[in-house]
Amino acid sequence: MPSPLFSAEEYRLAPLVILDYRSYSAFRLRHMPHRSGLVVALADADDDTVYPRAAAIGAEAVIRTGQDLSWLHLRLHEATGCHYASWEDLLTGPPPPSGN
């Protein structure tokens, strides 16, 4: 779900959090604590500013479209028991709602 919609408790308890880079600003404004299992998804392969920003929020990885995502598939499998959304939908779906 988009970062403005999940609670701090849901964030803390989730086995894996994939943050759409378009949601980065809203996520950062929420001052969420660093945690393992935070992954930033990026559709723009040419944006190198993502790495320092991902490090600032404690992300363990940055994934980009077009790269080998077998690592992500294994993490999703581990976190959800084989039931997960398509990573392409996560990277290229509609932007999150603006606001809070």
Side-chain angles (χ1 to χ4, degrees):
M1 68 180 69
S3 66
L5 300 180
F6 60 75
S7 70
E9 183 71 5
E10 288 170 321
Y11 172 74
R12 187 182 67 75
L13 294 174
L16 184 67
V17 174
I18 300 175
L19 179 67
D20 179 344
Y21 192 65
R22 297 171 295 179
S23 301
Y24 175 85
S25 295
F27 180 84
R28 179 114 176 158
L29 288 174
R30 292 188 64 189
H31 303 287
M32 300 303 256
H34 288 205
R35 54 153 291 165
S36 61
L38 176 61
V39 177
V40 175
L42 178 68
D44 181 6
D46 293 331
D47 185 357
D48 289 330
T49 67
V50 68
Y51 295 106
R53 291 179 185 199
I57 60 172
E60 77 177 53
V62 173
I63 57 172
R64 297 172 181 259
T65 55
Q67 77 182 74
D68 177 18
L69 296 175
S70 48
W71 170 85
L72 177 61
H73 285 269
L74 289 174
R75 293 284 282 142
L76 287 167
H77 175 76
E78 177 184 290
T80 65
C82 279
H83 302 355
Y84 57 86
S86 162
W87 66 269
E88 289 198 17
D89 291 342
L90 294 170
L91 291 175
T92 60
S98 59
N100 269 353

